[in-house]
């Protein structure tokens, strides 16, 4: 019976699993991770309604929600273990990880300047549910939209977690599953869509202590950006051979979120100077190009405006020119004084 249930439940399960203090094996489906059977501590599947946008094959909730509307959906949870489990429920807002992958586990804080009305505030799930061995329970999820409705999409996820003792009761593992819950409000018109923004740039060490230039990208729109191609180019304005570039394809950006896109140096030395940055973001329906002037010095990077850019490029020339002017003034003054003394001496004679 357990093997048969494994096949049934896991073919319908779409979620994310994180395991602390133990190593896990993952399979891939629809860009999300599915835990291997031998690592499962409990199993779940969403009971998708008939009006689920995109159909039941999505494996997650994708619901249309009108102003003031209240809906109830369910998750089936099965405990295949020989011990009771306490299942803890939380609702998280989706964010974007660095380098444009979506996080549904709440690992990143939400940006309240971009997401002023989090969808997680409208969703409720039981904080704790106890499930006996070989027991199945239906967990109720209630959703209540604000009276005035909302524009675009709210990307949330229902996180279910449990703690389980490992073999010999030595280590406690923490398992977390996330089931997507996408809420769709009033359609966002083309005029209401705002351009993407980049307001920050910095240098830092990323994974495996690799040096990189990191460009901040903000999506101010309540809508996913899918299958995105992100290309960053930084061209030194003095030396044409000094150039940093990185391109990533098939990226996904969550609604109303901010992240950093890394440009690894790839073993190259970071050369100080003024650069022209070209950031290109392309999706199936839109292409946007952002140009910025970047000043890099002593391992730091920052955006500068055009006037500052020109000042930085020619600062040394200005300083040198000022020094030359002062020197010429001193020489001219010396010559004038010398001529005065000469005339005075001639007059005395």
């Amino acid at each position: 019976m357990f093997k048969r249930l494994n096949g049934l439940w896991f073919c319908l399960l779409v979620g994310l699993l994180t395991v602390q203090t133990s190593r896990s094996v993952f399979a891939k489906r629809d860009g999300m991770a599915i835990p291997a059977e031998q690592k499962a501590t409990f199993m779940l599947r969403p009971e998708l309604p008939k009006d689920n946008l995109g159909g039941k094959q999505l494996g997650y909730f994708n619901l249309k929600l009108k102003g003031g509307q209240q809906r109830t959906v369910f998750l089936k949870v099965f405990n295949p273990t020989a011990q009771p489990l306490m299942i803890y429920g939380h609702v998280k807002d989706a964010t974007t990880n660095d380098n444009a992958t979506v996080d549904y586990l709440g690992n990143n804080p939400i940006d309240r300047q971009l997401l002023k009305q989090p969808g997680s505030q409208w969703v409720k799930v039981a904080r704790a549910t106890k499930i006996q061995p070989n027991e199945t329970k239906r967990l109720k999820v209630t959703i209540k939209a604000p009276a005035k409705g909302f524009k675009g999409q709210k990307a949330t996820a229902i996180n279910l977690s449990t703690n389980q003792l490992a073999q010999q009761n030595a280590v406690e593992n923490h398992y977390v599953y996330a089931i997507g819950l996408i809420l769709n409000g009033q359609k966002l018109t083309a005029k209401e869509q705002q351009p993407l923004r980049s307001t920050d740039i910095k240098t830092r060490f990323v994974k495996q202590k690799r040096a990189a230039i990191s460009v901040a990208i903000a999506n101010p729109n309540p809508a996913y950006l899918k299958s995105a191609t992100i290309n960053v180019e930084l061209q030194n304005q003095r030396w044409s051979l000094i150039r940093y570039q990185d391109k990533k394809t098939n990226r996904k950006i969550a609604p109303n979120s901010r992240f950093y896109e890394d440009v690894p140096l790839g073993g190259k030395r970071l050369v100080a100077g003024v650069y022209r940055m070209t950031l290109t973001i392309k999706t199936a329906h839109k292409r946007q190009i952002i140009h910025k002037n970047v000043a890099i010095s002593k391992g730091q990077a920052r955006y500068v405006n055009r006037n500052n850019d020109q000042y930085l490029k020619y600062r040394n020339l200005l300083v040198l020119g000022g020094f030359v002017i002062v020197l010429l003034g001193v020489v001219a003054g010396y010559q004038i004084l010398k001529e005065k003394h000469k005339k005075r001496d001639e007059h005395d004679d």
Side-chain angles (χ1 to χ4, degrees):
M1 178 180 178
F2 176 72
K3 290 184 178 179
R4 182 172 61 85
L5 283 173
N6 267 350
L8 173 63
W9 285 65
F10 274 98
C11 71
L12 294 173
L13 171 66
V14 176
L16 301 175
L17 170 68
T18 60
V19 184
Q20 298 177 354
T21 67
S22 74
R23 188 176 179 181
S24 60
V25 180
F26 295 93
K28 294 286 185 178
R29 175 181 173 182
D30 193 27
M32 306 181 80
I34 301 175
E37 292 185 15
Q38 64 268 28
K39 292 295 179 182
T41 186
F42 68 92
M43 292 181 288
L44 64 94
R45 66 178 175 87
E47 293 185 357
L48 300 178
K50 294 181 179 180
D51 62 346
N52 199 63
L53 300 178
K56 294 187 176 182
Q57 67 273 14
L58 288 183
Y60 58 88
F61 297 105
N62 192 14
L63 307 175
K64 180 73 176 177
L65 209 60
K66 298 179 181 179
Q69 183 180 4
Q70 181 168 326
R71 295 200 60 165
T72 301
V73 294
F74 293 91
L75 292 167
K76 273 191 175 180
V77 182
F78 172 64
N79 176 12
T81 71
Q83 59 184 1
L85 293 177
M86 187 66 74
I87 307 297
Y88 301 97
H90 299 277
V91 182
K92 301 290 185 178
D93 293 284
T95 58
T96 305
N97 295 316
D98 289 344
N99 301 308
T101 60
V102 179
D103 170 58
Y104 295 95
L105 293 173
N107 293 322
N108 307 312
I110 63 174
D111 189 329
R112 293 304 294 262
Q113 291 184 342
L114 293 172
L115 186 61
K116 297 179 180 180
Q117 195 178 38
S120 60
Q121 297 179 353
W122 311 337
V123 184
K124 292 183 179 180
V125 65
R127 289 288 184 181
T129 303
K130 190 173 184 178
I131 303 181
Q132 299 297 330
N134 294 314
E135 183 184 13
T136 299
K137 278 192 175 180
R138 297 173 78 223
L139 300 186
K140 183 171 70 172
V141 180
T142 57
I143 310 154
K144 178 66 180 295
K148 294 183 179 179
F150 62 99
K151 293 276 188 176
Q153 294 177 311
K154 297 292 182 182
T156 69
I158 304 159
N159 284 204
L160 299 181
S161 63
T162 189
N163 298 322
Q164 185 184 52
L165 293 176
Q167 293 181 356
Q168 299 178 354
N169 295 339
V171 180
E172 188 178 72
N173 296 326
H174 184 63
Y175 297 82
V176 182
Y177 298 82
I179 294 294
L181 175 60
I182 313 303
L183 306 177
N184 298 271
Q186 302 168 27
K187 188 175 180 180
L188 200 66
T189 65
K191 291 183 178 180
E192 292 172 322
Q193 295 182 14
Q194 303 178 52
L196 302 181
R197 300 193 298 262
S198 180
T199 58
D200 185 33
I201 189 171
K202 63 182 180 179
T203 58
R204 63 175 179 172
F205 288 101
V206 293
K207 292 181 179 179
Q208 300 176 349
K209 295 185 177 180
R210 296 182 304 160
I213 303 171
S214 301
V215 179
I217 300 174
N219 175 19
N221 298 297
Y224 276 101
L225 294 181
K226 301 178 181 179
S227 302
T229 297
I230 303 175
N231 189 20
V232 184
E233 297 180 8
L234 288 143
Q235 176 63 59
N236 190 288
Q237 295 296 279
R238 186 175 181 183
W239 310 104
S240 60
L241 294 178
I242 300 176
R243 185 174 180 229
Y244 306 107
Q245 182 179 14
D246 185 70
K247 182 179 181 179
K248 295 184 179 69
T249 59
N250 199 27
R251 303 286 96 181
K252 189 174 183 180
I253 303 172
N256 302 109
S257 64
R258 181 177 181 271
F259 66 98
Y260 278 99
E261 182 67 24
D262 295 322
V263 182
L265 299 186
K268 296 180 181 179
R269 185 171 65 91
L270 182 61
V271 179
V274 178
Y275 291 78
R276 181 66 168 172
M277 186 195 77
T278 302
L279 169 62
T280 305
I281 305 171
K282 183 180 179 182
T283 64
H285 305 289
K286 193 173 182 180
R287 183 172 181 263
Q288 183 178 339
I289 300 176
I290 299 174
H291 292 293
K292 293 279 188 177
N293 298 308
V294 182
I296 297 178
S297 61
K298 297 181 180 180
Q300 296 179 347
R302 61 187 179 90
Y303 289 143
V304 293
N305 61 37
R306 186 176 298 277
N307 293 330
N308 285 339
D309 178 27
Q310 296 299 322
Y311 169 75
L312 289 168
K313 287 175 64 177
Y314 300 110
R315 179 177 56 186
N316 292 337
L317 292 176
L318 291 172
V319 172
L320 180 61
F323 176 76
V324 170
I325 291 172
V326 172
L327 182 61
L328 291 174
V330 171
V331 172
Y334 175 76
Q335 290 295 333
I336 292 172
L337 289 174
K338 188 177 178 180
E339 287 295 327
K340 285 184 177 181
H341 282 293
K342 185 178 179 180
K343 287 181 180 180
R344 183 182 301 170
D345 291 341
E346 290 175 351
H347 177 72
D348 291 341
D349 290 342

